[in-house]
Amino acid sequence: ISSLGFVNLKVSTDKIKQNEATVNVQVNKGKTDAILLKILNRITVNLYEEETGVLVATKYITGTDIEEFINSVTQELRFTDLKSNTKYLLEFKSLVKQGSTEYDLDCIYNLDNFETTKKPATVLIANSFTSNNMIDFDCMVLDEDGAVLSKEVYIELRDEKNNIVKMQFIDVN
């Protein structure tokens, strides 16, 4: 089995968002032995959070999907419930079956990580009080993932005609 080499994969990411990502996987037939592909039974994809090393999710390419995969059909793997602004590591393993004996083999792949996007900063208005000619409120900028690159943001108060009445910088909380 070892003389057949490894399953070589082309991996790309697509649609990376705050809490989900899509990973596209395709076999590189030009760099994978044809005999190895004939006995390929399963591809296992493990997703780890890089900072902690915790296994977040496992996906399998097996059954009819593995048959399509062997014929160069790209498999789209969707990972959900991810954390925003977090780097994740991908690990690919293959299982080949020769007769009744199964072998776990490593894979060779071109992409082994991705990072989810940051949550945008939000404005929180609290303690609002209105009287005849006055509106009083507290304004805070919440930025969990550091999406705002500076320590302050520019806030504008506009009238009904969209004219700027007041401009001021406020700190990000």
Side-chain angles (χ1 to χ4, degrees), residues 13-80:
T13 54
D14 192 19
K15 305 172 193 162
I16 297 178
K17 298 179 182 177
Q18 296 167 25
N19 58 357
E20 66 181 57
T22 302
V23 175
N24 299 311
V25 185
Q26 184 180 31
V27 68
N28 186 339
K29 282 184 133 179
K31 294 184 177 182
T32 304
D33 191 287
I35 296 170
L36 186 59
L37 290 176
K38 287 180 183 177
I39 60 174
L40 182 61
N41 196 33
R42 180 179 72 210
I43 297 287
T44 303
V45 184
N46 292 318
L47 183 68
Y48 298 92
E49 190 175 316
E50 183 185 62
E51 189 175 316
T52 63
V54 172
L55 178 65
V56 175
T58 300
K59 302 278 184 179
Y60 300 99
I61 302 172
T62 188
T64 56
D65 289 339
I66 200 75
E67 292 171 22
E68 292 174 352
F69 181 71
I70 291 168
N71 291 315
S72 298
V73 174
T74 300
Q75 296 297 307
E76 192 173 274
L77 306 174
R78 189 166 169 251
F79 293 96
T80 58

